[in-house]
Structure formats: structure tokens, C-alpha cells
Amino acid sequence: MEKMIIVGSGCAGLTAAIYAARANLDPLVLEGKEPGGQLSTTTLVENFPGFPEGIDGPQLILNMKAQAQRFGARFAYSFANGLEPKEGHLRVKVDDDWVDTRTLIVASGASARWLGLPHEKKLVGHGLTSCATCDGAFYRNVPVCVVGGGDSACEEATFLTKFASKVYLIHRRDTLRASKIMAARALSNPKVEPVWNSVPTEYLTDESGEVRAVRLKNTATGAESELEVKCVFVAIGHTPNTAPFRGVLDMDAEGYLTQQRGSRTNIEGVFAAGDVADHVYKQAVTAAGEGCAAAMDAEKYLAERG
Ligand code: NAP
């Protein structure tokens, strides 16, 4: 019987692991399919407090993991495939085996949706990103584009006008999905230029492997064109990684876990932290804070039960 299993090894999961390990809960962290979470695929993180010069996302994650290991957290390159509440405890399907545990912290995050174009994975961090807050400041006085037509795309486009010389908003239709206020804010900004009825079909790179342009296809006419940009910000939505818990844990229509009283979920002994339950802030520092809260809630839950 484990005392605590933590699903996910991003900011939320690792912070929960640090707190739980220091509370002698001997947590087992299942690293999941994307070890380190979204930070492990970004470059310089300039907004995590305590690093005035910034810190590389992967390094920040390595530091957090080392900190958790120092206090005894255990890690497994495993994936949670299912959850069954039992009398007084939980059963978690770890890869192919069921494991008993007293508590579970779900910090499995959310994965950015990508366009699925060739070389996409390789180009992340080289002129391709899904996070304007993280990477926008690297693209000062150059043209960039945002792909998507929802609130995220409009928010990112508006944010990017602080840095870029021009922000093309590429949308596959001719009306935005975004709320009126977000759409109006983006479209009224003189630096934002909508590119309607268009989808990227190829990322074009320069000799050093950085994005220099995108090839576009007009969804109405089929015509192809090239758009010169130094960075592509993909904002076509996130998918919370909650599929293994569907039907057991309460979630909203988009699949985000819903919490009750702090980090508690609808199932006793199961707590949620980070992007898996957050479609508002989605920041490394808020995920870390929620990981801390979940570990403390779980510790209290165990203490109350002796
Ligand atoms: P979203 O509302 O699902 O919008 C995704 C956008 O990407 C849509 O415009 C969609 O086009 C487009 N898209 C999806 N797949 C695509 C593909 N393969 N190729 C090209 N375009 C594609 O996602 P979101 O903007 O991330 O917003 C998610 C939720 O968070 C929403 O409820 C939103 O209101 C909320 N949110 C709120 C705020 C805020 O209030 N501050 C900020 C961000 C997000 P179609 O329109 O054609 O489907």
C-alpha cells in the first residue's frame, strides 16, 4: 500500500513531491508520457520568481526533481491508466498493474494542441511555441504569427503586440470563435493583422534551423502563399490529460478536473493540482502553488485518518 501516488512530473507534481517527501509520505511520482510537463519543452523562463536572469525550463524541472529526490521522493517512468476507489483506499492502474494507495494527487497537466505538421516537435523552441507569455519577449521588432481563432489566440496576439513589429492572426475561418471583447481587443490593435480562411501547411526554416516563414493554404480557394514570420505561436487550445480518470473524477465539459474545498476532488483521497484543473492561469508558478496545496491537503487527510 503506497501512502501517496502523484501523477505527473511538471511543476505541480514535482512541488507536491517536494512537500510530500518532506512530510515523510514517501511519494511515488509517475512521470507520465511527457516527463517534466510543458516546461520541459520551453526555453528561457523569465517569470518564475527567484531567477532574476531567468532559467531554462528543462533546468528548472531538473532542479525541482533533484529537490524532491533529495527528500526521498521516488520516480517511475510510468503512466496512470485508471483509477478505482475502494473501501478506505484507492487503486491506481500503473501501466498494466493495479497498485493500492491511500492518496492520489492528479497533476497530469494539459497538453498544447499542435497542428501536426512535419518537423513540428523539432522546431519547438526554434521559432515555434505554444506560449506567448514564455517566449514573446524573444521576438522584439520582428513579425510573428498566432494560429487560432479562440480567446487564447486573441489574448496571445494582443500580448505579442508589446514586442513584435507585426502580429498576423491566422484563422481557418473568417469569423473568430473568441468572445467579442477579446476579439475586438485584438482586431483593433493596429499591429494585429488577421489572415482569414487560412491554415499553415509547412514551417519554413533558415540555414540555422530557425523558423523564417510559414506556408499557408487558403481554406476557401485552396491557394497557397508564404508568410514571413520569425515565430509561430500555436494557440489552438489545450487538452487536459484526464482521459484515464473519465467517469470516476468529476470534470467540466472541456475535461478539466473540478475541485471542491481546495484541491479535493469528488473522490476521497484524490487531489488535483496544476493545469489539469486550471483553464484560467496556466502558469508554472500557479501550478507549483497548487502542487504545494494538494500535498498539504493530502497530508491533512491522512493525518485525520491516523
Ligand atoms: P478554443 O476556444 O477551443 O479555440 C481554439 C481555436 O483554434 C478555434 O478558433 C479553432 O478554430 C482553432 N483550431 C482548432 N484546431 C485547429 C487546427 N487544427 N487548425 C487550425 N485552427 C484550429 O481554445 P482556446 O482559445 O485555448 O480557449 C479555451 C477556453 O479557455 C475557452 O473557453 C476560452 O474562452 C477560455 N479562455 C479564456 C480566456 C480569457 O477569458 N482571458 C483566455 C484564453 C482562453 P474554429 O473556431 O474554426 O473551431
Side-chain angles (χ1 to χ4, degrees):
M1 176 76 74
E2 296 285 344
K3 282 187 212 150
M4 178 184 288
I5 291 179
I6 298 172
V7 181
S9 53
C11 263
L14 292 177
T15 308
I18 292 167
Y19 274 77
R22 294 190 79 244
N24 287 336
L25 296 180
D26 196 23
L28 172 64
V29 181
L30 309 181
E31 300 213 43
K33 284 182 182 157
E34 295 171 30
Q38 291 178 55
L39 272 194
S40 63
T41 59
T42 188
T43 47
L44 193 63
V45 178
E46 288 184 318
N47 54 8
F48 200 92
F51 300 95
E53 305 305 323
I55 180 168
D56 275 329
Q59 187 60 53
L60 180 57
I61 283 296
L62 286 175
N63 291 355
M64 287 187 186
K65 183 173 176 182
Q67 198 172 349
Q69 282 173 320
R70 183 180 147 216
F71 296 112
R74 293 164 297 142
F75 286 80
Y77 285 112
S78 293
F79 189 71
N81 283 318
L83 168 66
E84 272 182 17
K86 292 280 167 190
E87 192 63 43
H89 73 284
L90 305 156
R91 292 187 83 207
V92 179
K93 193 169 187 193
V94 179
D95 300 330
D96 296 323
D97 300 318
W98 286 96
V99 177
D100 293 321
T101 181
R102 300 289 310 283
T103 62
L104 176 72
I105 293 180
V106 181
S108 45
S111 301
R113 282 196 212 126
W114 295 94
L115 291 162
L117 300 181
H119 315 302
E120 202 158 48
K121 272 204 174 135
K122 208 175 69 186
L123 287 172
V124 172
H126 298 278
L128 176 65
T129 173
S130 60
C131 180
T133 320
C134 320
D135 298 323
F138 298 120
Y139 298 94
R140 290 177 194 270
N141 305 318
V142 292
V144 300
C145 70
V146 176
V147 183
D151 279 337
S152 295
C154 288
E155 193 171 56
E156 304 232 319
T158 304
F159 176 78
L160 288 167
T161 59
K162 289 201 270 184
F163 311 105
S165 58
K166 182 105 195 157
V167 182
Y168 297 101
L169 181 59
I170 299 171
H171 184 36
R172 60 185 177 185
R173 297 184 290 126
D174 63 357
T175 39
L176 294 173
R177 175 180 294 280
S179 56
K180 284 206 163 53
I181 189 163
M182 304 279 281
R185 195 172 297 150
L187 295 178
S188 65
N189 191 306
K191 279 192 181 177
V192 174
E193 184 176 323
V195 183
W196 300 121
N197 296 321
S198 297
V199 284
T201 54
E202 190 182 353
Y203 302 113
L204 305 170
T205 52
D206 61 19
E207 58 286 349
S208 49
E210 300 287 321
V211 167
R212 65 166 179 81
V214 276
R215 195 184 305 285
L216 297 178
K217 183 175 175 187
N218 188 299
T219 53
T221 64
E224 295 210 344
S225 60
E226 254 183 46
L227 184 68
E228 278 191 25
V229 286
K230 291 288 182 196
C231 190
V232 181
F233 292 83
V234 178
I236 59 171
H238 278 79
T239 310
N241 300 317
T242 50
F245 310 108
R246 206 165 285 146
V248 182
L249 297 181
D250 284 350
M251 41 189 92
D252 66 16
E254 293 171 57
Y256 289 91
L257 297 185
T258 48
Q259 296 149 308
Q260 314 159 346
R261 292 189 300 126
S263 64
R264 291 165 186 78
T265 67
N266 57 306
I267 299 291
E268 285 237 324
V270 183
F271 305 83
D275 284 12
V276 78
D278 168 20
H279 46 73
V280 179
Y281 303 108
K282 301 177 183 173
Q283 298 299 300
V285 68
T286 51
E290 288 182 15
C292 158
M296 292 177 77
D297 288 342
E299 184 189 358
K300 188 159 177 266
Y301 168 88
L302 285 170
E304 282 167 0
R305 282 153 187 80

